[in-house]
Amino acid sequence: MKTQRYGLLLVAGLLSSTPTALAAGRSSAQRDVEGYAIATCLVAQDQPYLKDQGYGWGEAIVQGRGRDPEALAPVTAAVTAALAKGDMPVARDESNPQQGKALPVLYCGEIIDKPTVRAAITQVVANLGKGR
């Protein structure tokens, strides 16, 4: 029982420290630019709720955190180009097996890992670090 209890304490300690360690690994500029990419993707979706969330998130980054929209323009362009490829993931829809269910939240959450979007994010973050 002692070993099991110590194992649980170790796991609990790792879980409680992991978010802090992960957050410390990314600058606020990188979090903002990645968030802006995801927000840009959400704005481009057909669902009004997703559009609204994207606009709100983008505004929080631009107005609330003072990020220059012109400095973020390469990210907007990269996301727009990625969206034009139309490679939205689709899941099986149990209630309508003849059609798939588009997964825009998954797609937007992962858009920051598309090579062209990641390159734009890296460029913008570097430029922000130079004070541009």
Side-chain angles (χ1 to χ4, degrees):
M1 284 298 213
K2 265 188 179 179
T3 306
Q4 192 175 28
R5 185 175 64 203
Y6 290 123
L8 290 174
L9 289 174
L10 176 63
V11 170
L14 288 172
L15 290 175
S16 67
S17 66
T18 302
T20 304
L22 290 175
R26 294 176 31 219
S27 69
S28 63
Q30 184 171 350
R31 283 192 304 273
D32 285 352
V33 176
E34 288 175 349
Y36 193 79
I38 296 167
T40 300
C41 179
L42 291 171
V43 167
Q45 301 309 306
D46 293 333
Q47 299 85 352
Y49 179 76
L50 296 179
K51 283 182 177 295
D52 183 56
Q53 289 294 299
Y55 280 122
W57 193 352
E59 288 300 313
I61 292 166
V62 171
Q63 292 181 0
R65 296 187 187 131
R67 299 291 179 191
D68 180 7
E70 288 184 32
L72 298 167
V75 172
T76 303
V79 169
T80 301
L83 289 169
K85 293 181 181 178
D87 55 354
M88 175 78 63
V90 177
R92 183 167 182 230
D93 187 351
E94 296 293 330
S95 63
N96 191 0
Q98 301 299 326
Q99 293 184 344
K101 182 187 311 185
L103 302 172
V105 174
L106 171 65
Y107 182 64
C108 291
E110 293 181 345
I111 202 157
I112 63 174
D113 296 321
K114 302 263 183 212
T116 56
V117 176
R118 176 55 56 193
I121 289 168
T122 302
Q123 173 196 352
V124 169
V125 169
N127 289 344
L128 290 173
K130 295 176 188 173
R132 288 186 193 174

PDB file of all heavy atoms in Angstrom, residues 29-43 54-55 57-63 65 67-77 79 108 111-112 117 121 124:
ATOM      1  N   ALA A  29       4.534  35.898 -26.628  1.00  0.00           N
ATOM      2  CA  ALA A  29       4.413  36.208 -28.058  1.00  0.00           C
ATOM      3  C   ALA A  29       4.042  34.956 -28.843  1.00  0.00           C
ATOM      4  O   ALA A  29       3.158  34.990 -29.701  1.00  0.00           O
ATOM      5  CB  ALA A  29       5.719  36.797 -28.587  1.00  0.00           C
ATOM      6  N   GLN A  30       4.688  33.839 -28.540  1.00  0.00           N
ATOM      7  CA  GLN A  30       4.376  32.604 -29.264  1.00  0.00           C
ATOM      8  C   GLN A  30       2.949  32.150 -28.978  1.00  0.00           C
ATOM      9  O   GLN A  30       2.216  31.771 -29.886  1.00  0.00           O
ATOM     10  CB  GLN A  30       5.351  31.495 -28.904  1.00  0.00           C
ATOM     11  CG  GLN A  30       5.092  30.227 -29.717  1.00  0.00           C
ATOM     12  CD  GLN A  30       6.155  29.178 -29.548  1.00  0.00           C
ATOM     13  OE1 GLN A  30       7.198  29.424 -28.963  1.00  0.00           O
ATOM     14  NE2 GLN A  30       5.901  28.005 -30.074  1.00  0.00           N
ATOM     15  N   ARG A  31       2.519  32.225 -27.727  1.00  0.00           N
ATOM     16  CA  ARG A  31       1.136  31.844 -27.391  1.00  0.00           C
ATOM     17  C   ARG A  31       0.148  32.744 -28.124  1.00  0.00           C
ATOM     18  O   ARG A  31      -0.856  32.270 -28.654  1.00  0.00           O
ATOM     19  CB  ARG A  31       0.910  31.906 -25.883  1.00  0.00           C
ATOM     20  CG  ARG A  31       1.513  30.732 -25.142  1.00  0.00           C
ATOM     21  CD  ARG A  31       1.039  30.667 -23.693  1.00  0.00           C
ATOM     22  NE  ARG A  31       1.295  31.890 -22.937  1.00  0.00           N
ATOM     23  CZ  ARG A  31       2.418  32.155 -22.291  1.00  0.00           C
ATOM     24  NH1 ARG A  31       3.401  31.288 -22.304  1.00  0.00           N
ATOM     25  NH2 ARG A  31       2.552  33.283 -21.627  1.00  0.00           N
ATOM     26  N   ASP A  32       0.442  34.041 -28.166  1.00  0.00           N
ATOM     27  CA  ASP A  32      -0.453  34.973 -28.851  1.00  0.00           C
ATOM     28  C   ASP A  32      -0.515  34.689 -30.349  1.00  0.00           C
ATOM     29  O   ASP A  32      -1.604  34.680 -30.935  1.00  0.00           O
ATOM     30  CB  ASP A  32      -0.008  36.425 -28.638  1.00  0.00           C
ATOM     31  CG  ASP A  32      -0.324  36.949 -27.259  1.00  0.00           C
ATOM     32  OD1 ASP A  32      -1.032  36.260 -26.488  1.00  0.00           O
ATOM     33  OD2 ASP A  32       0.156  38.060 -26.944  1.00  0.00           O
ATOM     34  N   VAL A  33       0.619  34.461 -30.970  1.00  0.00           N
ATOM     35  CA  VAL A  33       0.644  34.240 -32.420  1.00  0.00           C
ATOM     36  C   VAL A  33      -0.009  32.914 -32.770  1.00  0.00           C
ATOM     37  O   VAL A  33      -0.773  32.822 -33.739  1.00  0.00           O
ATOM     38  CB  VAL A  33       2.086  34.359 -32.969  1.00  0.00           C
ATOM     39  CG1 VAL A  33       2.131  34.042 -34.452  1.00  0.00           C
ATOM     40  CG2 VAL A  33       2.645  35.761 -32.708  1.00  0.00           C
ATOM     41  N   GLU A  34       0.251  31.874 -32.003  1.00  0.00           N
ATOM     42  CA  GLU A  34      -0.417  30.593 -32.240  1.00  0.00           C
ATOM     43  C   GLU A  34      -1.926  30.727 -32.019  1.00  0.00           C
ATOM     44  O   GLU A  34      -2.729  30.218 -32.801  1.00  0.00           O
ATOM     45  CB  GLU A  34       0.159  29.514 -31.326  1.00  0.00           C
ATOM     46  CG  GLU A  34       1.550  29.076 -31.721  1.00  0.00           C
ATOM     47  CD  GLU A  34       2.183  28.097 -30.742  1.00  0.00           C
ATOM     48  OE1 GLU A  34       1.639  27.895 -29.627  1.00  0.00           O
ATOM     49  OE2 GLU A  34       3.229  27.537 -31.100  1.00  0.00           O
ATOM     50  N   GLY A  35      -2.312  31.432 -30.967  1.00  0.00           N
ATOM     51  CA  GLY A  35      -3.733  31.662 -30.713  1.00  0.00           C
ATOM     52  C   GLY A  35      -4.384  32.445 -31.836  1.00  0.00           C
ATOM     53  O   GLY A  35      -5.521  32.159 -32.231  1.00  0.00           O
ATOM     54  N   TYR A  36      -3.652  33.414 -32.371  1.00  0.00           N
ATOM     55  CA  TYR A  36      -4.183  34.203 -33.483  1.00  0.00           C
ATOM     56  C   TYR A  36      -4.397  33.323 -34.721  1.00  0.00           C
ATOM     57  O   TYR A  36      -5.392  33.486 -35.434  1.00  0.00           O
ATOM     58  CB  TYR A  36      -3.240  35.368 -33.804  1.00  0.00           C
ATOM     59  CG  TYR A  36      -3.863  36.393 -34.707  1.00  0.00           C
ATOM     60  CD1 TYR A  36      -4.744  37.337 -34.211  1.00  0.00           C
ATOM     61  CD2 TYR A  36      -3.584  36.412 -36.074  1.00  0.00           C
ATOM     62  CE1 TYR A  36      -5.337  38.282 -35.040  1.00  0.00           C
ATOM     63  CE2 TYR A  36      -4.166  37.345 -36.907  1.00  0.00           C
ATOM     64  CZ  TYR A  36      -5.038  38.280 -36.385  1.00  0.00           C
ATOM     65  OH  TYR A  36      -5.618  39.206 -37.208  1.00  0.00           O
ATOM     66  N   ALA A  37      -3.509  32.383 -34.956  1.00  0.00           N
ATOM     67  CA  ALA A  37      -3.674  31.465 -36.087  1.00  0.00           C
ATOM     68  C   ALA A  37      -4.934  30.618 -35.906  1.00  0.00           C
ATOM     69  O   ALA A  37      -5.727  30.449 -36.842  1.00  0.00           O
ATOM     70  CB  ALA A  37      -2.441  30.572 -36.231  1.00  0.00           C
ATOM     71  N   ILE A  38      -5.121  30.100 -34.719  1.00  0.00           N
ATOM     72  CA  ILE A  38      -6.306  29.286 -34.446  1.00  0.00           C
ATOM     73  C   ILE A  38      -7.568  30.142 -34.560  1.00  0.00           C
ATOM     74  O   ILE A  38      -8.570  29.724 -35.157  1.00  0.00           O
ATOM     75  CB  ILE A  38      -6.208  28.617 -33.069  1.00  0.00           C
ATOM     76  CG1 ILE A  38      -5.033  27.627 -33.050  1.00  0.00           C
ATOM     77  CG2 ILE A  38      -7.512  27.905 -32.703  1.00  0.00           C
ATOM     78  CD1 ILE A  38      -4.652  27.136 -31.668  1.00  0.00           C
ATOM     79  N   ALA A  39      -7.527  31.355 -34.023  1.00  0.00           N
ATOM     80  CA  ALA A  39      -8.676  32.265 -34.102  1.00  0.00           C
ATOM     81  C   ALA A  39      -9.010  32.591 -35.551  1.00  0.00           C
ATOM     82  O   ALA A  39     -10.187  32.628 -35.935  1.00  0.00           O
ATOM     83  CB  ALA A  39      -8.386  33.545 -33.319  1.00  0.00           C
ATOM     84  N   THR A  40      -7.986  32.817 -36.368  1.00  0.00           N
ATOM     85  CA  THR A  40      -8.196  33.101 -37.795  1.00  0.00           C
ATOM     86  C   THR A  40      -8.901  31.938 -38.474  1.00  0.00           C
ATOM     87  O   THR A  40      -9.807  32.137 -39.292  1.00  0.00           O
ATOM     88  CB  THR A  40      -6.841  33.391 -38.482  1.00  0.00           C
ATOM     89  OG1 THR A  40      -6.243  34.520 -37.840  1.00  0.00           O
ATOM     90  CG2 THR A  40      -7.007  33.666 -39.958  1.00  0.00           C
ATOM     91  N   CYS A  41      -8.509  30.738 -38.130  1.00  0.00           N
ATOM     92  CA  CYS A  41      -9.154  29.543 -38.685  1.00  0.00           C
ATOM     93  C   CYS A  41     -10.612  29.468 -38.238  1.00  0.00           C
ATOM     94  O   CYS A  41     -11.501  29.171 -39.047  1.00  0.00           O
ATOM     95  CB  CYS A  41      -8.386  28.296 -38.241  1.00  0.00           C
ATOM     96  SG  CYS A  41      -9.090  26.744 -38.824  1.00  0.00           S
ATOM     97  N   LEU A  42     -10.878  29.728 -36.971  1.00  0.00           N
ATOM     98  CA  LEU A  42     -12.258  29.680 -36.468  1.00  0.00           C
ATOM     99  C   LEU A  42     -13.151  30.697 -37.171  1.00  0.00           C
ATOM    100  O   LEU A  42     -14.299  30.401 -37.502  1.00  0.00           O
ATOM    101  CB  LEU A  42     -12.286  29.899 -34.954  1.00  0.00           C
ATOM    102  CG  LEU A  42     -11.706  28.769 -34.108  1.00  0.00           C
ATOM    103  CD1 LEU A  42     -11.604  29.205 -32.652  1.00  0.00           C
ATOM    104  CD2 LEU A  42     -12.538  27.501 -34.237  1.00  0.00           C
ATOM    105  N   VAL A  43     -12.615  31.892 -37.412  1.00  0.00           N
ATOM    106  CA  VAL A  43     -13.387  32.933 -38.092  1.00  0.00           C
ATOM    107  C   VAL A  43     -13.808  32.469 -39.487  1.00  0.00           C
ATOM    108  O   VAL A  43     -14.879  32.839 -39.969  1.00  0.00           O
ATOM    109  CB  VAL A  43     -12.567  34.247 -38.166  1.00  0.00           C
ATOM    110  CG1 VAL A  43     -13.186  35.245 -39.126  1.00  0.00           C
ATOM    111  CG2 VAL A  43     -12.437  34.862 -36.781  1.00  0.00           C
ATOM    112  N   GLY A  54     -13.839  32.912 -32.727  1.00  0.00           N
ATOM    113  CA  GLY A  54     -12.617  33.327 -33.406  1.00  0.00           C
ATOM    114  C   GLY A  54     -12.415  34.832 -33.361  1.00  0.00           C
ATOM    115  O   GLY A  54     -11.317  35.320 -33.072  1.00  0.00           O
ATOM    116  N   TYR A  55     -13.483  35.572 -33.644  1.00  0.00           N
ATOM    117  CA  TYR A  55     -13.394  37.032 -33.576  1.00  0.00           C
ATOM    118  C   TYR A  55     -13.029  37.492 -32.164  1.00  0.00           C
ATOM    119  O   TYR A  55     -12.170  38.353 -31.983  1.00  0.00           O
ATOM    120  CB  TYR A  55     -14.720  37.694 -33.997  1.00  0.00           C
ATOM    121  CG  TYR A  55     -14.921  37.776 -35.481  1.00  0.00           C
ATOM    122  CD1 TYR A  55     -16.030  37.185 -36.078  1.00  0.00           C
ATOM    123  CD2 TYR A  55     -14.019  38.460 -36.304  1.00  0.00           C
ATOM    124  CE1 TYR A  55     -16.228  37.253 -37.446  1.00  0.00           C
ATOM    125  CE2 TYR A  55     -14.215  38.537 -37.671  1.00  0.00           C
ATOM    126  CZ  TYR A  55     -15.320  37.927 -38.241  1.00  0.00           C
ATOM    127  OH  TYR A  55     -15.505  37.997 -39.598  1.00  0.00           O
ATOM    128  N   TRP A  57     -11.470  35.834 -29.787  1.00  0.00           N
ATOM    129  CA  TRP A  57     -10.103  35.442 -29.452  1.00  0.00           C
ATOM    130  C   TRP A  57      -9.111  36.366 -30.148  1.00  0.00           C
ATOM    131  O   TRP A  57      -8.163  36.856 -29.545  1.00  0.00           O
ATOM    132  CB  TRP A  57      -9.880  33.992 -29.855  1.00  0.00           C
ATOM    133  CG  TRP A  57      -8.649  33.326 -29.316  1.00  0.00           C
ATOM    134  CD1 TRP A  57      -7.615  33.897 -28.620  1.00  0.00           C
ATOM    135  CD2 TRP A  57      -8.332  31.948 -29.437  1.00  0.00           C
ATOM    136  NE1 TRP A  57      -6.677  32.946 -28.311  1.00  0.00           N
ATOM    137  CE2 TRP A  57      -7.095  31.735 -28.794  1.00  0.00           C
ATOM    138  CE3 TRP A  57      -8.972  30.862 -30.023  1.00  0.00           C
ATOM    139  CZ2 TRP A  57      -6.477  30.491 -28.724  1.00  0.00           C
ATOM    140  CZ3 TRP A  57      -8.355  29.621 -29.960  1.00  0.00           C
ATOM    141  CH2 TRP A  57      -7.134  29.438 -29.317  1.00  0.00           C
ATOM    142  N   GLY A  58      -9.344  36.615 -31.424  1.00  0.00           N
ATOM    143  CA  GLY A  58      -8.466  37.511 -32.182  1.00  0.00           C
ATOM    144  C   GLY A  58      -8.437  38.911 -31.598  1.00  0.00           C
ATOM    145  O   GLY A  58      -7.378  39.539 -31.478  1.00  0.00           O
ATOM    146  N   GLU A  59      -9.614  39.414 -31.217  1.00  0.00           N
ATOM    147  CA  GLU A  59      -9.695  40.749 -30.628  1.00  0.00           C
ATOM    148  C   GLU A  59      -8.979  40.802 -29.284  1.00  0.00           C
ATOM    149  O   GLU A  59      -8.351  41.814 -28.946  1.00  0.00           O
ATOM    150  CB  GLU A  59     -11.151  41.191 -30.478  1.00  0.00           C
ATOM    151  CG  GLU A  59     -11.815  41.525 -31.796  1.00  0.00           C
ATOM    152  CD  GLU A  59     -11.126  42.669 -32.540  1.00  0.00           C
ATOM    153  OE1 GLU A  59     -10.833  43.702 -31.910  1.00  0.00           O
ATOM    154  OE2 GLU A  59     -10.881  42.513 -33.744  1.00  0.00           O
ATOM    155  N   ALA A  60      -9.070  39.727 -28.513  1.00  0.00           N
ATOM    156  CA  ALA A  60      -8.372  39.687 -27.227  1.00  0.00           C
ATOM    157  C   ALA A  60      -6.860  39.791 -27.432  1.00  0.00           C
ATOM    158  O   ALA A  60      -6.163  40.424 -26.645  1.00  0.00           O
ATOM    159  CB  ALA A  60      -8.721  38.408 -26.477  1.00  0.00           C
ATOM    160  N   ILE A  61      -6.375  39.199 -28.506  1.00  0.00           N
ATOM    161  CA  ILE A  61      -4.944  39.238 -28.799  1.00  0.00           C
ATOM    162  C   ILE A  61      -4.535  40.605 -29.338  1.00  0.00           C
ATOM    163  O   ILE A  61      -3.531  41.181 -28.922  1.00  0.00           O
ATOM    164  CB  ILE A  61      -4.565  38.108 -29.776  1.00  0.00           C
ATOM    165  CG1 ILE A  61      -4.727  36.754 -29.069  1.00  0.00           C
ATOM    166  CG2 ILE A  61      -3.146  38.290 -30.322  1.00  0.00           C
ATOM    167  CD1 ILE A  61      -4.709  35.555 -29.990  1.00  0.00           C
ATOM    168  N   VAL A  62      -5.330  41.151 -30.240  1.00  0.00           N
ATOM    169  CA  VAL A  62      -4.980  42.428 -30.870  1.00  0.00           C
ATOM    170  C   VAL A  62      -5.230  43.598 -29.922  1.00  0.00           C
ATOM    171  O   VAL A  62      -4.344  44.415 -29.682  1.00  0.00           O
ATOM    172  CB  VAL A  62      -5.746  42.615 -32.201  1.00  0.00           C
ATOM    173  CG1 VAL A  62      -5.565  44.011 -32.749  1.00  0.00           C
ATOM    174  CG2 VAL A  62      -5.285  41.572 -33.222  1.00  0.00           C
ATOM    175  N   GLN A  63      -6.430  43.683 -29.379  1.00  0.00           N
ATOM    176  CA  GLN A  63      -6.764  44.834 -28.532  1.00  0.00           C
ATOM    177  C   GLN A  63      -6.344  44.624 -27.083  1.00  0.00           C
ATOM    178  O   GLN A  63      -5.779  45.521 -26.469  1.00  0.00           O
ATOM    179  CB  GLN A  63      -8.257  45.130 -28.614  1.00  0.00           C
ATOM    180  CG  GLN A  63      -8.665  45.638 -29.972  1.00  0.00           C
ATOM    181  CD  GLN A  63     -10.150  45.959 -30.047  1.00  0.00           C
ATOM    182  OE1 GLN A  63     -10.883  45.797 -29.092  1.00  0.00           O
ATOM    183  NE2 GLN A  63     -10.582  46.422 -31.209  1.00  0.00           N
ATOM    184  N   ARG A  65      -4.096  42.513 -25.785  1.00  0.00           N
ATOM    185  CA  ARG A  65      -2.666  42.311 -25.549  1.00  0.00           C
ATOM    186  C   ARG A  65      -1.802  43.231 -26.389  1.00  0.00           C
ATOM    187  O   ARG A  65      -0.579  43.163 -26.341  1.00  0.00           O
ATOM    188  CB  ARG A  65      -2.313  40.852 -25.803  1.00  0.00           C
ATOM    189  CG  ARG A  65      -3.026  39.937 -24.822  1.00  0.00           C
ATOM    190  CD  ARG A  65      -2.582  38.509 -24.939  1.00  0.00           C
ATOM    191  NE  ARG A  65      -3.402  37.679 -24.094  1.00  0.00           N
ATOM    192  CZ  ARG A  65      -3.983  36.562 -24.498  1.00  0.00           C
ATOM    193  NH1 ARG A  65      -3.836  36.135 -25.728  1.00  0.00           N
ATOM    194  NH2 ARG A  65      -4.709  35.860 -23.665  1.00  0.00           N
ATOM    195  N   ARG A  67      -1.255  43.420 -29.700  1.00  0.00           N
ATOM    196  CA  ARG A  67      -0.511  42.890 -30.849  1.00  0.00           C
ATOM    197  C   ARG A  67      -0.957  43.615 -32.113  1.00  0.00           C
ATOM    198  O   ARG A  67      -2.146  43.831 -32.344  1.00  0.00           O
ATOM    199  CB  ARG A  67      -0.720  41.387 -31.003  1.00  0.00           C
ATOM    200  CG  ARG A  67      -0.257  40.573 -29.804  1.00  0.00           C
ATOM    201  CD  ARG A  67       1.235  40.581 -29.663  1.00  0.00           C
ATOM    202  NE  ARG A  67       1.641  39.799 -28.493  1.00  0.00           N
ATOM    203  CZ  ARG A  67       2.845  39.803 -28.005  1.00  0.00           C
ATOM    204  NH1 ARG A  67       3.797  40.555 -28.547  1.00  0.00           N
ATOM    205  NH2 ARG A  67       3.139  39.076 -26.953  1.00  0.00           N
ATOM    206  N   ASP A  68       0.003  43.983 -32.933  1.00  0.00           N
ATOM    207  CA  ASP A  68      -0.247  44.717 -34.172  1.00  0.00           C
ATOM    208  C   ASP A  68      -0.796  43.775 -35.241  1.00  0.00           C
ATOM    209  O   ASP A  68      -0.132  42.804 -35.606  1.00  0.00           O
ATOM    210  CB  ASP A  68       1.063  45.349 -34.638  1.00  0.00           C
ATOM    211  CG  ASP A  68       0.922  46.140 -35.929  1.00  0.00           C
ATOM    212  OD1 ASP A  68      -0.212  46.315 -36.420  1.00  0.00           O
ATOM    213  OD2 ASP A  68       1.962  46.594 -36.436  1.00  0.00           O
ATOM    214  N   PRO A  69      -2.010  44.039 -35.762  1.00  0.00           N
ATOM    215  CA  PRO A  69      -2.578  43.164 -36.789  1.00  0.00           C
ATOM    216  C   PRO A  69      -1.699  43.080 -38.041  1.00  0.00           C
ATOM    217  O   PRO A  69      -1.657  42.038 -38.692  1.00  0.00           O
ATOM    218  CB  PRO A  69      -3.932  43.786 -37.119  1.00  0.00           C
ATOM    219  CG  PRO A  69      -4.177  44.842 -36.126  1.00  0.00           C
ATOM    220  CD  PRO A  69      -2.910  45.121 -35.394  1.00  0.00           C
ATOM    221  N   GLU A  70      -0.996  44.153 -38.361  1.00  0.00           N
ATOM    222  CA  GLU A  70      -0.108  44.107 -39.534  1.00  0.00           C
ATOM    223  C   GLU A  70       1.057  43.154 -39.302  1.00  0.00           C
ATOM    224  O   GLU A  70       1.494  42.467 -40.223  1.00  0.00           O
ATOM    225  CB  GLU A  70       0.393  45.509 -39.869  1.00  0.00           C
ATOM    226  CG  GLU A  70      -0.685  46.388 -40.464  1.00  0.00           C
ATOM    227  CD  GLU A  70      -0.159  47.754 -40.882  1.00  0.00           C
ATOM    228  OE1 GLU A  70       1.025  47.844 -41.291  1.00  0.00           O
ATOM    229  OE2 GLU A  70      -0.928  48.715 -40.789  1.00  0.00           O
ATOM    230  N   ALA A  71       1.549  43.094 -38.082  1.00  0.00           N
ATOM    231  CA  ALA A  71       2.632  42.165 -37.760  1.00  0.00           C
ATOM    232  C   ALA A  71       2.160  40.715 -37.846  1.00  0.00           C
ATOM    233  O   ALA A  71       2.949  39.807 -38.135  1.00  0.00           O
ATOM    234  CB  ALA A  71       3.179  42.458 -36.371  1.00  0.00           C
ATOM    235  N   LEU A  72       0.856  40.502 -37.621  1.00  0.00           N
ATOM    236  CA  LEU A  72       0.272  39.158 -37.660  1.00  0.00           C
ATOM    237  C   LEU A  72      -0.178  38.746 -39.062  1.00  0.00           C
ATOM    238  O   LEU A  72      -0.595  37.604 -39.268  1.00  0.00           O
ATOM    239  CB  LEU A  72      -0.907  39.084 -36.693  1.00  0.00           C
ATOM    240  CG  LEU A  72      -0.574  39.310 -35.219  1.00  0.00           C
ATOM    241  CD1 LEU A  72      -1.841  39.537 -34.410  1.00  0.00           C
ATOM    242  CD2 LEU A  72       0.226  38.147 -34.664  1.00  0.00           C
ATOM    243  N   ALA A  73      -0.078  39.647 -40.028  1.00  0.00           N
ATOM    244  CA  ALA A  73      -0.566  39.392 -41.390  1.00  0.00           C
ATOM    245  C   ALA A  73       0.022  38.134 -42.032  1.00  0.00           C
ATOM    246  O   ALA A  73      -0.705  37.398 -42.713  1.00  0.00           O
ATOM    247  CB  ALA A  73      -0.331  40.616 -42.271  1.00  0.00           C
ATOM    248  N   PRO A  74       1.316  37.811 -41.852  1.00  0.00           N
ATOM    249  CA  PRO A  74       1.828  36.565 -42.451  1.00  0.00           C
ATOM    250  C   PRO A  74       1.122  35.318 -41.919  1.00  0.00           C
ATOM    251  O   PRO A  74       0.939  34.340 -42.646  1.00  0.00           O
ATOM    252  CB  PRO A  74       3.311  36.561 -42.072  1.00  0.00           C
ATOM    253  CG  PRO A  74       3.656  37.996 -41.842  1.00  0.00           C
ATOM    254  CD  PRO A  74       2.409  38.611 -41.264  1.00  0.00           C
ATOM    255  N   VAL A  75       0.706  35.356 -40.666  1.00  0.00           N
ATOM    256  CA  VAL A  75      -0.027  34.223 -40.087  1.00  0.00           C
ATOM    257  C   VAL A  75      -1.404  34.119 -40.724  1.00  0.00           C
ATOM    258  O   VAL A  75      -1.847  33.027 -41.103  1.00  0.00           O
ATOM    259  CB  VAL A  75      -0.122  34.357 -38.552  1.00  0.00           C
ATOM    260  CG1 VAL A  75      -1.038  33.296 -37.960  1.00  0.00           C
ATOM    261  CG2 VAL A  75       1.258  34.283 -37.934  1.00  0.00           C
ATOM    262  N   THR A  76      -2.074  35.252 -40.877  1.00  0.00           N
ATOM    263  CA  THR A  76      -3.386  35.269 -41.526  1.00  0.00           C
ATOM    264  C   THR A  76      -3.286  34.697 -42.932  1.00  0.00           C
ATOM    265  O   THR A  76      -4.108  33.861 -43.334  1.00  0.00           O
ATOM    266  CB  THR A  76      -3.954  36.704 -41.578  1.00  0.00           C
ATOM    267  OG1 THR A  76      -4.019  37.213 -40.246  1.00  0.00           O
ATOM    268  CG2 THR A  76      -5.323  36.740 -42.206  1.00  0.00           C
ATOM    269  N   ALA A  77      -2.278  35.115 -43.681  1.00  0.00           N
ATOM    270  CA  ALA A  77      -2.092  34.630 -45.059  1.00  0.00           C
ATOM    271  C   ALA A  77      -1.816  33.130 -45.084  1.00  0.00           C
ATOM    272  O   ALA A  77      -2.368  32.402 -45.922  1.00  0.00           O
ATOM    273  CB  ALA A  77      -0.953  35.394 -45.734  1.00  0.00           C
ATOM    274  N   VAL A  79      -2.661  30.843 -42.805  1.00  0.00           N
ATOM    275  CA  VAL A  79      -3.870  30.113 -42.414  1.00  0.00           C
ATOM    276  C   VAL A  79      -4.870  30.100 -43.563  1.00  0.00           C
ATOM    277  O   VAL A  79      -5.464  29.061 -43.874  1.00  0.00           O
ATOM    278  CB  VAL A  79      -4.495  30.715 -41.133  1.00  0.00           C
ATOM    279  CG1 VAL A  79      -5.884  30.133 -40.871  1.00  0.00           C
ATOM    280  CG2 VAL A  79      -3.583  30.480 -39.944  1.00  0.00           C
ATOM    281  N   CYS A 108      -8.820  23.447 -36.640  1.00  0.00           N
ATOM    282  CA  CYS A 108      -8.265  24.741 -36.254  1.00  0.00           C
ATOM    283  C   CYS A 108      -7.244  24.602 -35.131  1.00  0.00           C
ATOM    284  O   CYS A 108      -6.241  25.317 -35.113  1.00  0.00           O
ATOM    285  CB  CYS A 108      -9.380  25.699 -35.857  1.00  0.00           C
ATOM    286  SG  CYS A 108     -10.405  26.215 -37.262  1.00  0.00           S
ATOM    287  N   ILE A 111      -4.065  23.485 -36.844  1.00  0.00           N
ATOM    288  CA  ILE A 111      -3.577  24.242 -38.000  1.00  0.00           C
ATOM    289  C   ILE A 111      -2.204  24.851 -37.729  1.00  0.00           C
ATOM    290  O   ILE A 111      -1.425  25.063 -38.655  1.00  0.00           O
ATOM    291  CB  ILE A 111      -4.596  25.295 -38.472  1.00  0.00           C
ATOM    292  CG1 ILE A 111      -4.316  25.646 -39.932  1.00  0.00           C
ATOM    293  CG2 ILE A 111      -4.601  26.521 -37.558  1.00  0.00           C
ATOM    294  CD1 ILE A 111      -5.484  26.217 -40.662  1.00  0.00           C
ATOM    295  N   ILE A 112      -1.891  25.096 -36.474  1.00  0.00           N
ATOM    296  CA  ILE A 112      -0.586  25.670 -36.142  1.00  0.00           C
ATOM    297  C   ILE A 112       0.560  24.702 -36.427  1.00  0.00           C
ATOM    298  O   ILE A 112       1.717  25.111 -36.448  1.00  0.00           O
ATOM    299  CB  ILE A 112      -0.524  26.158 -34.678  1.00  0.00           C
ATOM    300  CG1 ILE A 112      -0.707  25.017 -33.702  1.00  0.00           C
ATOM    301  CG2 ILE A 112      -1.535  27.273 -34.447  1.00  0.00           C
ATOM    302  CD1 ILE A 112      -0.516  25.389 -32.240  1.00  0.00           C
ATOM    303  N   VAL A 117       2.042  27.239 -41.952  1.00  0.00           N
ATOM    304  CA  VAL A 117       1.528  28.050 -40.844  1.00  0.00           C
ATOM    305  C   VAL A 117       2.591  28.131 -39.747  1.00  0.00           C
ATOM    306  O   VAL A 117       2.848  29.209 -39.204  1.00  0.00           O
ATOM    307  CB  VAL A 117       0.194  27.494 -40.304  1.00  0.00           C
ATOM    308  CG1 VAL A 117      -0.280  28.271 -39.088  1.00  0.00           C
ATOM    309  CG2 VAL A 117      -0.871  27.508 -41.403  1.00  0.00           C
ATOM    310  N   ILE A 121       4.301  31.469 -38.198  1.00  0.00           N
ATOM    311  CA  ILE A 121       4.293  31.724 -36.757  1.00  0.00           C
ATOM    312  C   ILE A 121       5.717  32.005 -36.273  1.00  0.00           C
ATOM    313  O   ILE A 121       5.971  32.975 -35.547  1.00  0.00           O
ATOM    314  CB  ILE A 121       3.676  30.536 -35.983  1.00  0.00           C
ATOM    315  CG1 ILE A 121       2.167  30.463 -36.236  1.00  0.00           C
ATOM    316  CG2 ILE A 121       3.979  30.620 -34.485  1.00  0.00           C
ATOM    317  CD1 ILE A 121       1.509  29.174 -35.769  1.00  0.00           C
ATOM    318  N   VAL A 124       6.851  35.486 -37.452  1.00  0.00           N
ATOM    319  CA  VAL A 124       6.210  36.586 -36.727  1.00  0.00           C
ATOM    320  C   VAL A 124       6.743  36.680 -35.301  1.00  0.00           C
ATOM    321  O   VAL A 124       7.024  37.776 -34.802  1.00  0.00           O
ATOM    322  CB  VAL A 124       4.668  36.457 -36.768  1.00  0.00           C
ATOM    323  CG1 VAL A 124       4.001  37.432 -35.813  1.00  0.00           C
ATOM    324  CG2 VAL A 124       4.159  36.654 -38.189  1.00  0.00           C
TER     325      VAL A 124
END
